[in-house]
Amino acid sequence: MESSRLFFGSNSSSMFYLGNGDDYFRGTSTGFNFEETSKKRPFMSSLDDMLEDENYDEQLTEKKRRLSPEQVRMLERSFEEDNKLEPERKTELAKKLGLQPRQVAVWFQNRRARWKTKTLERDYDRLKSSYDVLTSDFDSIVKENEKLKAEVLSLTEKLRAKEVPEISIIGGDHKEGRDDVVADPSGHVKVEDHFSTGSGGSAVVDDHDGPQVLVDSGDSYFPDDDYTNEYVAVRVDQSEEDDGSDNGQNDFPNYPFATTDHHHHDEADALGWWVWSQP
DNA sequence: TCCAAAGAGAACTTTACGTCA
DNA sequence: CATGACGTAAAGTTCTCTTTG
């Protein structure tokens, strides 16, 4: 963007302002661009008015310079009260600070821009740290899942090798203390999960070749009939007993997540959860 | 001490929008 | 209701001054 500001003289850093109210002429110690500026600032006071300005001499030689600490302090205080500037407040502040109202307006504009930048930076930092925590949690979960999968596979193999005879637990003859190995009348070996809490609860993983079914253990997040849905996924955490409360370390509950629809099936799969599809 | 680069701040331009006569 | 003038916010830029290595 090409600036329309004009500078005169060989060393044109000596700027000055002329005018009252919100509008002013801007020029240098060697000249100013009346015609151009007046086109853009239609409410300019007359040249005579400007020349009568008590600060004229001062402004004539004044370079563009920073506001004094006291001026900035008062502007900051005003900004804290309200970051929008009504015309009355602008005029009042300008008078108090010995500045042009235009300068006050510009200061507020720039201050709002700085505030926005800072806010965005803070927001970014907050989101970034949240993201990092979630990423770390995600990695732990994936690793844990892999470990548990391997463990189950290994146990399944052992059970197969054992060739356990028929045990009629599935038929309702289950006894406390024998909750690890079961086989149904068709010879399918089942492994009960050891991670569920409560004596009455356990999930059973069917080992046959067809689609696997997760049988509700009694303390699932699902309503009683929910496991009849097409997809069921579960994440099991054995790290500690969970009372259902969040410990504040992360945003994941400590035990079974579940999903029951197609959409979440993919998500669960991506997370490395076990997903069983109902036949 | 000098100097170039970077940073900070003041002022600017452009665009968009709301208000009002 | 349409229109033009006006004020202002926001975003981006330019220029100047200060700080820093």
Side-chain angles (χ1 to χ4, degrees), chain A residues 118-135:
Chain A
K118 280 248 159 51
T119 302
L120 286 172
E121 282 171 1
R122 268 203 302 273
D123 288 350
Y124 173 80
D125 288 343
R126 262 203 296 271
L127 288 170
K128 175 82 165 55
S129 59
S130 289
Y131 173 80
D132 289 344
V133 167
L134 289 172
T135 303

Side-chain angles (χ1 to χ4, degrees), chain A residues 148-168:
Chain A
L148 292 170
K149 273 187 193 173
E151 195 174 334
V152 167
L153 269 178
S154 144
L155 287 170
T156 305
E157 288 304 317
K158 280 181 190 166
L159 285 166
R160 273 212 179 110
K162 252 182 159 180
E163 293 179 14
V164 180
E166 177 178 323
I167 300 173
S168 58

Side-chain angles (χ1 to χ4, degrees), chain A residues 90-145:
Chain A
K90 178 171 65 178
T91 311
E92 199 181 312
L93 263 174
K95 222 172 198 174
K96 252 189 220 168
L97 300 173
L99 297 170
Q100 297 296 326
R102 169 79 183 157
Q103 284 177 283
V104 175
V106 166
W107 187 90
F108 267 74
Q109 282 170 12
N110 288 324
R111 185 64 180 78
R112 279 192 295 270
R114 287 194 291 270
W115 176 82
K116 190 175 181 182
T117 304
K118 280 248 159 51
T119 302
L120 286 172
E121 282 171 1
R122 268 203 302 273
D123 288 350
Y124 173 80
D125 288 343
R126 262 203 296 271
L127 288 170
K128 175 82 165 55
S129 59
S130 289
Y131 173 80
D132 289 344
V133 167
L134 289 172
T135 303
S136 164
D137 283 349
F138 177 83
D139 290 344
S140 308
I141 289 164
V142 168
K143 274 183 197 145
E144 188 185 302
N145 242 340

